[in-house]
Amino acid sequence: MMRLARLALVMASTLTFASTALAQQEMTVEEIANQISTLESDFENFSGTVNTLQQEERDLREKLQNLRERNSELETKRESALAEMNDRYQRLVEDPTIDIAGAQEAYKQAVMAHQQNKADIKQQVSLVNEKAREVEEARVSKHSLINEIETLKEQRNLARVDRLENEFNRTGELEVSQSISCDRQETLGQCENRGKLMAKQKASKQYLNTILDGLSEASLARENIEKASPNVQILGSKTISNGFSGAGNYGVKLAVELRGQLPQSQACTLLNVDMRYCASEQRPGELQAGDEETVDSSVMHPLTIRSNVYDDEVVIDGVSYGSTPLEVMLPGGEHQIEILKYGYSAYAEKILLKDATAIRAELEKSDYSFTRGEKIQDILYRDVRGPELVVVPAGKFKMGDLVGNGLPNERPAETREIPTALGISDTEITVEQFGNFVEDTAYVTEAEKNGTCASLSNGRPQFNEKLSWKNPGFKQSESSPVVCVSYNDAQAYAEWLTQKSGFKYSIPTEAEWEYAARAGSETDFWWGNDVGYGKANCRNCGTDWSNTRPAPVASFHRNPWGLYDTVGNVWEWAETDEGVVVKGGAWNFTPSLARVSTRMELPSDFNSNYIGFRVVRAQ
């Protein structure tokens, strides 16, 4: 009982200690760690006490078992003494001289021993039950202590996140000097602005490194820095000195006030802890129609640019930054990125910089070189223009399953050639663009004539006479890809473009489609072999449209050759020597079917609310 009292005292003080700890929301990481260490020490001691109690219970049960076994022996002795005493009584009737006192005493002693053993058993049962209760209480208390320790560990991770955020989001000031050579095409004002911008970029990068070095868990944060998106906000700057030299160089020295900015979710990334320890934030993704997004241009974000060639030129917002690999800090907002090398296809992309971003450009050697930002858009009639096209250079590529994840009809892989450059619509043809065609020609699609637009139900297509390109069974806008169009309908649209523009339009061949969609890559998707999260609209791909409806075109990043939505959204018609296929996957199909080499053979008159198309134009 004394031991149980001490156990209860330890447990009460331990749980009070832990409960008090949980009530203190402002404890430091070190304080919580110390409390965890103390409780873990108590837990080890507690575990020893529980083990002792369990051993005592086993000893008591063993003694009880011995008493019960002795009870049988004593019962046998009592019965034997009783029989002896009865026998002597019978003999006493015939022979009064027989002494029965000895038999009586033996019986008396046997009865008393048996009764005492029964009392001992009763008492031992009580002791065993009491000890069993102690053990059970100790076990429950031990589980409670474990829970308190784990709760403190949870609180420690929360405190680590808060500490990192506080350490990162601090304000400081740096002085930086920057000297640049003015380009001949620049005015002095442009050169001065560029020099100050580059000075701010240098200050941002230096301040970011200073913050990282000063973190309590600096080593761990640097190990995970590539996975996070830390940035720096410029609060203000003051020119200490500046001026132009006679050689056309501009030098500036700035005092820059800065503040680190780290979203709480990124703190979890840097600390390599589960995201549940961070406040939930909206996942980065594309905006739906009607949504607005503001990006703080005073916040500087890291931008890393690499390419597959040497001696290229990186141009950001019209300013040359030299060759790759390149790491710069740029203010948040839209930036036009171009990577150029003579004899290679150019890389051009407009990005919305709102966190740390890395770009890997694949430039393909070809007989055709882009000029900066080159696009094609034909005027059809009045103020109606054709789809916007991007130029795809001539070249050779490997077509089919190159990774080993493909279906039988994707094999064997083979080298194909696109002999001449061509223009391909950078998005799938939209509802608005197809509507222009219908308005001009009064064209009626096969789905409208025959009631044959299919939708998926339990994985199988069902034809619905009420569905058409105007009403595909889900909400759409003018910028949504047109669906419920057959290959024949798509070909009619291409012929209309040819007639109106004077240039030859057609549906892309499968080789043209896959060449443009690969954009120089040899992976399942143009960015790699993993579909990732939020990169495309397919089933369970982590977007607002996944398994619901097509996204508006251009809702995700372009591929390196400037094409949107070659992964997911809607299947796209393509021509083959044997017939027609669809490529690219769709919003309601699994990601494995959105691989660039996936192909589904279909009849040319089939149409559904998950198939659309894009067009190509010859030079």
Side-chain angles (χ1 to χ4, degrees):
M1 292 298 293
M2 287 298 294
R3 182 180 290 109
L4 181 60
R6 290 197 298 273
L7 178 63
L9 180 62
V10 170
M11 191 63 206
S13 61
T14 298
L15 295 182
T16 300
F17 182 47
S19 299
T20 302
L22 292 175
Q24 297 172 354
Q25 299 298 321
E26 301 301 326
M27 286 192 301
T28 66
V29 175
E30 291 75 15
E31 289 171 341
I32 297 173
N34 289 337
Q35 291 191 2
I36 291 173
S37 179
T38 300
L39 294 184
E40 287 177 336
S41 178
D42 289 341
F43 179 77
E44 290 299 321
N45 296 332
F46 201 178
S47 297
T49 302
V50 172
N51 292 336
T52 300
L53 289 172
Q54 289 175 320
Q55 183 59 50
E56 291 176 351
E57 182 187 3
R58 286 192 291 270
D59 293 343
L60 289 171
R61 289 187 182 278
E62 183 178 355
K63 187 175 180 180
L64 176 61
Q65 181 61 28
N66 293 336
L67 288 172
R68 284 173 173 162
E69 292 174 357
R70 177 172 169 73
N71 190 66
S72 298
E73 297 173 1
L74 292 174
E75 177 63 21
T76 300
K77 288 181 179 181
R78 186 191 70 79
E79 290 176 352
S80 176
L82 178 61
E84 177 64 23
M85 186 178 67
N86 288 336
D87 180 65
R88 291 203 177 197
Y89 268 117
Q90 291 295 329
R91 292 164 58 192
L92 178 63
V93 173
E94 298 176 359
D95 186 2
T97 63
I98 293 177
D99 183 13
I100 65 171
Q104 287 178 321
E105 183 62 27
Y107 177 67
K108 176 182 176 182
Q109 293 299 325
V111 170
M112 291 178 62
H114 188 238
Q115 289 177 341
Q116 182 60 48
N117 194 70
K118 280 186 172 181
D120 291 344
I121 290 175
K122 184 176 181 180
Q123 182 181 12
Q124 194 66 22
V125 168
S126 178
L127 291 174
V128 168
N129 290 337
E130 182 179 348
K131 189 61 65 175
R133 285 195 299 273
E134 288 184 41
V135 171
E136 189 59 31
E137 289 173 2
R139 284 173 174 167
V140 173
S141 299
K142 184 178 178 181
H143 295 160
S144 298
L145 183 55
I146 292 174
N147 186 51
E148 295 292 339
I149 292 172
E150 293 305 311
T151 302
L152 275 174
K153 288 180 179 179
E154 295 279 303
Q155 189 180 3
R156 178 177 60 185
N157 279 337
L158 291 170
R160 289 174 65 206
V161 169
D162 289 340
R163 179 179 66 182
L164 181 66
E165 189 178 24
N166 291 333
E167 290 175 344
F168 201 99
N169 298 339
R170 60 187 179 89
T171 302
E173 186 173 296
L174 285 178
E175 289 188 4
V176 291
S177 298
Q178 180 70 44
S179 179
I180 63 170
S181 297
C182 298
D183 293 338
R184 292 182 178 180
Q185 296 84 0
E186 284 183 309
T187 65
L188 294 181
Q190 290 172 332
C191 184
E192 181 179 4
N193 290 335
R194 182 162 64 91
K196 290 182 178 179
L197 174 61
M198 295 182 72
K200 292 177 182 178
Q201 292 171 351
K202 179 188 289 187
S204 299
K205 193 170 185 178
Q206 289 180 2
Y207 192 67
L208 180 58
N209 284 326
T210 299
I211 289 175
L212 290 173
D213 290 339
L215 296 177
S216 297
E217 299 185 63
S219 297
L220 181 60
R222 284 198 175 276
E223 287 177 11
N224 298 298
I225 191 67
E226 295 297 329
K227 306 173 187 176
S229 305
N231 53 63
V232 173
Q233 181 180 17
I234 295 178
L235 301 177
S237 64
K238 181 179 180 181
T239 302
I240 298 175
S241 62
N242 68 324
F244 291 91
S245 69
N249 292 333
Y250 173 75
V252 62
K253 184 176 183 181
L254 293 181
V256 186
E257 185 181 7
L258 310 103
R259 179 173 62 206
Q261 287 197 336
L262 184 73
Q264 197 171 34
S265 61
Q266 299 302 315
C268 281
T269 302
L270 288 180
L271 294 175
N272 197 27
V273 298
D274 196 283
M275 286 296 177
R276 62 194 175 88
Y277 295 112
C278 294
S280 62
E281 295 182 293
Q282 184 178 357
R283 291 192 189 101
E286 301 299 327
L287 298 176
Q288 298 188 45
D291 289 344
E292 294 183 359
E293 181 178 28
T294 58
V295 178
D296 191 347
S297 61
S298 69
V299 178
M300 305 291 282
H301 302 278
L303 175 64
T304 303
I305 303 176
R306 293 180 172 84
S307 79
N308 62 325
V309 298
Y310 296 98
D311 299 325
D312 52 10
E313 180 185 11
V314 178
V315 179
I316 303 175
D317 300 328
V319 176
S320 176
Y321 278 73
S323 61
T324 59
L326 177 71
E327 294 184 5
V328 296
M329 298 286 290
L330 294 176
E334 286 192 350
H335 297 278
Q336 181 68 38
I337 311 298
E338 297 171 283
I339 305 174
L340 310 169
K341 182 177 173 68
Y342 181 75
Y344 285 80
S345 59
Y347 175 92
E349 179 182 6
K350 180 177 287 187
I351 65 171
L352 180 63
L353 191 62
K354 52 186 177 180
D355 52 29
T357 301
I359 293 175
R360 169 69 181 183
E362 295 288 336
L363 277 63
E364 182 76 11
K365 190 173 179 60
S366 67
D367 296 330
Y368 186 91
S369 297
F370 291 144
T371 58
R372 295 183 184 179
E374 180 177 6
K375 293 183 179 179
I376 302 169
Q377 190 175 33
D378 294 321
I379 298 176
L380 303 181
Y381 59 92
R382 297 191 303 273
D383 58 348
V384 175
R385 294 177 175 270
E388 192 168 282
L389 311 173
V390 293
V391 175
V392 172
K396 295 181 179 181
F397 77 111
K398 293 180 181 178
M399 179 176 174
D401 176 25
L402 308 182
V403 178
N405 298 325
L407 303 173
N409 67 354
E410 302 171 37
R411 307 184 186 114
E414 58 182 359
T415 299
R416 300 290 292 272
E417 181 177 5
I418 305 300
T420 60
L422 53 87
I424 184 168
S425 56
D426 62 352
T427 71
E428 297 142 338
I429 299 303
T430 66
V431 171
E432 180 182 20
Q433 291 165 342
F434 194 79
N436 291 333
F437 158 59
V438 171
E439 182 180 359
D440 186 57
T441 62
Y443 182 84
V444 180
T445 63
E446 291 188 304
E448 292 172 296
K449 288 186 292 186
N450 306 320
T452 54
C453 184
S455 62
L456 283 186
S457 177
N458 297 322
R460 294 182 177 275
Q462 291 187 347
F463 296 101
N464 188 331
E465 63 181 10
K466 295 181 180 180
L467 300 185
S468 70
W469 70 275
K470 298 176 183 177
N471 177 30
F474 43 72
K475 182 180 179 180
Q476 64 178 2
S477 66
E478 289 189 340
S479 61
S480 298
V482 66
V483 292
C484 289
V485 288
S486 66
Y487 167 80
N488 299 331
D489 297 329
Q491 186 61 35
Y493 174 80
E495 291 172 357
W496 174 73
L497 290 178
T498 299
Q499 176 190 358
K500 290 296 182 179
S501 68
F503 295 96
K504 175 61 179 175
Y505 279 84
S506 62
I507 305 304
T509 66
E510 185 179 13
E512 290 171 341
W513 190 98
E514 190 165 326
Y515 178 62
R518 283 191 178 279
S521 68
E522 294 188 358
T523 50
D524 280 340
F525 310 97
W526 59 260
W527 57 77
N529 289 320
D530 187 349
V531 74
Y533 189 87
K535 292 184 175 182
N537 181 22
C538 47
R539 187 180 183 90
N540 299 326
C541 284
T543 77
D544 292 338
W545 306 281
S546 293
N547 207 35
T548 301
R549 64 184 187 278
V553 298
S555 290
F556 304 93
H557 289 303
R558 296 177 182 266
N559 76 5
W561 285 0
L563 276 69
Y564 293 105
D565 302 319
T566 56
V567 179
N569 218 32
V570 295
W571 291 96
E572 300 175 18
W573 288 111
E575 300 175 346
T576 72
D577 293 337
E578 295 79 24
V580 294
V581 297
V582 290
K583 304 279 287 183
W587 55 274
N588 53 348
F589 281 74
T590 183
S592 63
L593 295 179
R595 294 174 298 101
V596 67
S597 58
T598 302
R599 60 200 305 271
M600 289 201 310
E601 296 96 344
L602 290 172
S604 61
D605 61 348
F606 181 82
N607 58 87
S608 73
N609 66 359
Y610 47 82
I611 297 178
F613 68 100
R614 69 179 74 217
V615 295
V616 296
R617 198 206 85 172
Q619 283 190 336

